[in-house]
Amino acid sequence: MVRILQHGVFISLRRTGIMWRHLPSTNRRLLSISHSTPTSRWEYVGKRRTLLLTGFISSSAVIAFWADAKSCPDPSVDLSSRPTSSPETPTSILQSKSTDLLPLIRTYVVYGLISIPFLVDHAPHILHHMLRVPFVGRAVETIVRWTFFAQFVGGETVGDTLPLIRRLRYDNKGTLLGYSVEVDESVATGGSGHSTTAGQSPLGVPNLEQPVHKRIVEEIILSIDAVGDFEDRLARESGVEAHGTWITVKLTALLPRAESLRNFSMYLVHTRPRSSEPVPFPGTSNSSDLAILDRQHHIQRRSSLMEEDIPDLQELYVNLRRICMRAKERRIKVAIDAEYTWYQPAIDAFGHALMEEFNKLPEEKAWTKWLFSGPSSGVPKTELQPLIYVTYQAYLRRTLTHLTHSIALSRKKGYALGIKLVRGAYHPHETASHYGSLSTMSISTEPDPPVYSSKVETDTCYDTCVSIIVRAIADDVMSSSVRLPRLGVLFGTHNWGSSELVLQELVKKGLAREQGGENEPRTLVISREIAERCTIAQLYGMANTLTSYIAARIKSPIPCVMKCIPYGALGEAMPYLSRRAIENKSVLGNGGATRERKEAARMIWKNLVGDVGL
């Protein structure tokens, strides 16, 4: 391999016009192929063939790299929903240049690997076996750490992520921070093992006195304090309280056994009262969902919920309330992640119960409406609504009905509804589990799988939800009787069309105004009141061009676009990294990983040789 590299460098130098005699003697010795002349005709022929092969390989690699850079798609071709008044996307926004080539090269390598379907499909099993091989495992771990881990994870501790969070804030980008411990794929899909991986304390020293799930709860509370301190310092420096950092919580990581959440979900599916409008599986939440956790209630015979599940679920609710109370004290918003559908009914139950408590809106009397009938900027500082957000997955068949039901329920119960709208990241497992090819984890009794069969249907559902939500926000803002937001949303999307639709709907509903002349890029001016209610987010390490485009399009006093940044030790983040690779292939969209690779190639090329050849 060393000889091949030497030949390649030598040929490259010759082709660029750098003659052998121009090199220092030390470099000539390092690059020399041999200190002696060929002793036979066969040795001469062999070296000549090696030179030709090396030249062919290096030339092919350069041509392939140039082809990627040349064929990088213009995002404007995907924006079929772009308003006619909106200009073409500025090149300066789409291709933000970086002087540091290492992150760009890493991105190109990572997405080059993700573009190979076979490698993505078998990556978890390949890594599982290779990491167990002596010596080889250490090398593989190093490679993963400097490629996939560095690409998609913000650091090993919350302290590691703070410089990154600060850099993003300089560009008016917020952060959705999450401790990346989640249920392992083998456990979630019916395999064996423990639901979570043992973590470490912030200083890297394992705390073996507490069970894993309790250590995770403490780590989440610590992260709230860390980002709370960061936001307080930033507010003192700038004089503006931005609320630009949120935290995310994954419920399966907060239980000693994820099976308890599945058992509770089965119980809810069979005992929830039927609504007037049927909601497809996994159904929709009800205010009485957590009644079974009351000690006065007894489990019925032949119930899927076991006696040993109740203490675990009660402890989960206590810990969730601890997390939310600390978040309320530090004024940090909390987003509860969605997971597999066999956990989702229980996750919905806990999420809506927390919203009903922590997103509760004060009852407005007639005299208070008259007294405070001014702009909503008069809201006391202690009020931050919505504080808790729950996740809605557009690839579920229930989502449209579930969303309208949730809006109606929040109005009836008098709390602010926090919505995190995503497409969904578990499609292959959901389909395989429903048809029994994966395992029997599915708890659905319906003939069709809970997810749409095509991405087109998912995209249509997502965009329809965008219109419903923005319209609800507009109605909320225009209502003179509303003093606090009754609805807030975080749109999680890597789709250019959906992102542009969000901006278009904000303008159409009067929540944003366009600014700029006919011959200059138009920006969207969004007030603080709207920015507090509406945010767009992408995952860290993915769709960076889209994130920069949105941040450049929007003018707002606080961040309107965010990056979702996970953190945790490499061993803890492996399930997350496996899911990110699968998501790039199956959920991000047709050619999503290829597009990311080509964008990285284009930026590398422009850094090295400018616009030559493009």
Side-chain angles (χ1 to χ4, degrees):
M1 178 60 71
V2 174
R3 289 298 179 90
I4 292 175
L5 290 175
Q6 289 175 340
H7 282 294
V9 172
F10 178 74
I11 291 174
S12 299
L13 292 173
R14 292 292 298 273
R15 289 183 177 180
T16 55
I18 301 176
M19 301 305 295
W20 184 257
R21 63 177 179 273
H22 295 158
L23 295 175
S25 58
T26 303
N27 292 347
R28 288 203 300 268
R29 286 196 302 271
L30 291 173
L31 293 174
S32 62
I33 298 168
S34 174
H35 294 290
S36 60
T37 57
T39 58
S40 67
R41 179 175 178 274
W42 296 111
E43 184 178 353
Y44 177 81
V45 171
K47 290 190 175 184
R48 188 175 182 84
R49 287 178 177 175
T50 303
L51 283 171
L52 291 173
L53 179 61
T54 305
F56 175 76
I57 293 174
S58 59
S59 300
S60 299
V62 171
I63 292 172
F65 185 82
W66 170 81
D68 276 346
K70 178 76 173 176
S71 61
C72 179
D74 183 351
S76 62
V77 302
D78 293 343
L79 301 180
S80 57
S81 59
R82 178 190 295 275
T84 55
S85 62
S86 181
E88 290 300 312
T89 306
T91 304
S92 59
I93 293 176
L94 295 179
Q95 297 165 356
S96 56
K97 293 182 66 173
S98 171
T99 56
D100 190 356
L101 284 176
L102 288 180
L104 294 175
I105 294 171
R106 182 186 64 225
T107 300
Y108 185 76
V109 171
V110 167
Y111 281 102
L113 294 173
I114 292 176
S115 302
I116 305 172
F118 175 84
L119 188 61
V120 173
D121 292 337
H122 298 86
H125 302 290
I126 294 173
L127 288 175
H128 175 75
H129 292 294
M130 292 188 70
L131 288 171
R132 294 175 178 270
V133 179
F135 303 109
V136 175
R138 185 63 64 90
V140 171
E141 180 181 333
T142 301
I143 293 172
V144 172
R145 181 180 298 279
W146 290 104
T147 53
F148 289 90
F149 185 85
Q151 180 72 24
F152 298 117
V153 182
E156 294 203 7
T157 68
V158 64
D160 294 340
T161 66
L162 293 179
L164 173 60
I165 294 173
R166 180 173 282 273
R167 287 198 302 271
L168 290 171
R169 189 61 62 84
Y170 285 150
D171 295 329
N172 205 23
K173 300 172 186 175
T175 300
L176 180 60
L177 186 67
Y179 187 38
S180 63
V181 177
E182 57 185 70
V183 63
D184 191 88
E185 296 288 352
S186 62
V187 177
T189 54
S192 59
H194 197 274
S195 60
T196 54
T197 306
Q200 292 184 332
S201 70
L203 298 178
V205 181
N207 182 357
L208 301 178
E209 297 179 358
Q210 285 184 315
V212 175
H213 69 284
K214 291 187 178 181
R215 300 206 298 271
I216 295 172
V217 171
E218 298 304 323
E219 178 64 32
I220 293 174
I221 292 176
L222 180 141
S223 70
I224 293 174
D225 286 333
V227 298
D229 291 341
F230 169 81
E231 289 292 333
D232 290 344
R233 286 194 302 271
L234 209 61
R236 288 194 298 269
E237 294 171 5
S238 64
V240 177
E241 189 181 20
H243 310 306
T245 308
W246 303 13
I247 64 111
T248 182
V249 176
K250 189 170 287 289
L251 265 61
T252 50
L254 306 183
L255 283 162
R257 296 179 306 110
E259 185 67 17
S260 297
L261 215 57
R262 180 175 179 270
N263 292 341
F264 188 29
S265 293
M266 281 194 290
Y267 173 84
L268 291 173
V269 168
H270 291 97
T271 60
R272 272 175 177 164
R274 297 191 178 277
S275 59
S276 56
E277 184 179 5
V279 180
F281 175 83
T284 190
S285 53
N286 189 281
S287 296
S288 61
D289 281 346
L290 297 187
I292 189 65
L293 302 186
D294 191 334
R295 297 184 183 276
Q296 297 180 355
H297 283 75
H298 299 283
I299 299 176
Q300 301 176 355
R301 291 184 178 181
R302 297 183 180 180
S303 171
S304 59
L305 199 60
M306 306 297 179
E307 288 289 348
E308 58 268 26
D309 294 329
I310 298 299
D312 290 344
L313 296 171
Q314 290 172 335
E315 181 187 18
L316 172 62
Y317 191 44
V318 169
N319 287 331
L320 286 171
R321 293 189 71 254
R322 280 185 61 207
I323 291 170
C324 294
M325 283 189 286
R326 182 63 64 88
K328 184 176 182 179
E329 292 170 3
R330 302 309 306 266
R331 300 177 59 74
I332 301 296
K333 294 185 178 184
V334 178
I336 298 176
D337 276 350
E339 303 190 47
Y340 296 96
T341 54
W342 44 90
Y343 300 135
Q344 201 55 48
I347 293 173
D348 291 340
F350 284 109
H352 281 264
L354 292 170
M355 284 196 296
E356 191 168 346
E357 178 179 359
F358 292 94
N359 292 4
K360 193 71 174 178
L361 298 172
E363 293 185 9
E364 293 187 342
K365 309 297 183 182
W367 65 273
T368 59
K369 294 180 183 178
W370 169 80
L371 184 62
F372 296 107
S373 57
S376 56
S377 58
V379 175
K381 180 181 178 181
T382 54
E383 296 289 348
L384 177 63
Q385 294 295 354
L387 180 72
I388 312 300
Y389 286 66
V390 296
T391 303
Y392 293 75
Q393 299 164 295
Y395 71 178
L396 294 180
R397 298 178 185 275
R398 69 154 183 176
T399 300
L400 286 174
T401 312
H402 175 48
L403 177 61
T404 54
H405 177 273
S406 297
I407 294 174
L409 181 64
S410 67
R411 299 288 191 268
K412 178 181 177 182
K413 295 294 182 180
Y415 62 85
L417 180 64
I419 300 169
K420 176 187 168 190
L421 182 66
V422 301
R423 277 174 166 76
Y426 304 98
H427 193 281
H429 292 297
E430 292 288 353
T431 305
S433 180
H434 183 82
Y435 290 117
S437 59
L438 181 66
S439 69
T440 56
M441 290 295 288
S442 176
I443 61 174
S444 173
T445 58
E446 298 177 2
D448 295 323
V451 295
Y452 289 115
S453 58
S454 70
K455 189 176 182 299
V456 174
E457 293 174 294
T458 298
D459 291 342
T460 301
C461 178
Y462 190 97
D463 292 347
T464 304
C465 289
V466 168
S467 300
I468 293 173
I469 293 168
V470 175
R471 184 170 61 249
I473 292 176
D475 293 342
D476 189 29
V477 172
M478 302 304 173
S479 175
S480 60
S481 64
V482 176
R483 301 271 55 83
L484 289 172
R486 294 188 298 176
L487 189 147
V489 60
L490 185 150
F491 294 109
T493 180
H494 299 151
N495 186 286
W496 283 83
S498 295
S499 299
E500 191 70 16
L501 177 64
V502 172
L503 303 181
Q504 178 184 355
E505 288 292 318
L506 290 175
V507 173
K508 187 186 298 183
K509 297 297 189 297
L511 302 177
R513 60 183 177 86
E514 286 187 308
Q515 186 181 72
E518 295 182 358
N519 299 323
E520 60 183 17
R522 292 179 183 269
T523 58
L524 267 62
V525 180
I526 298 179
S527 67
R528 180 188 178 98
E529 180 186 19
I530 305 304
E532 286 277 12
R533 302 172 190 243
C534 182
T535 309
I536 307 175
Q538 290 82 40
L539 292 167
Y540 177 65
M542 296 169 63
N544 293 331
T545 305
L546 176 58
T547 306
S548 297
Y549 165 73
I550 298 171
R553 273 291 303 272
I554 292 176
K555 264 189 182 179
S556 66
I558 60 175
C560 271
V561 62
M562 308 179 79
K563 274 296 188 184
C564 304
I565 302 178
Y567 76 94
L570 177 60
E572 298 168 336
M574 287 304 292
Y576 174 86
L577 293 175
S578 298
R579 189 157 57 85
R580 287 285 72 81
I582 294 171
E583 177 175 305
N584 270 279
K585 182 174 75 75
S586 63
V587 181
L588 185 60
N590 297 328
T594 301
R595 178 176 188 156
E596 294 276 358
R597 186 191 75 230
K598 290 182 177 182
E599 287 179 351
R602 188 177 186 88
M603 285 189 278
I604 293 171
W605 187 276
K606 289 175 75 67
N607 271 272
L608 292 176
V609 296
D611 293 325
V612 177
L614 299 179

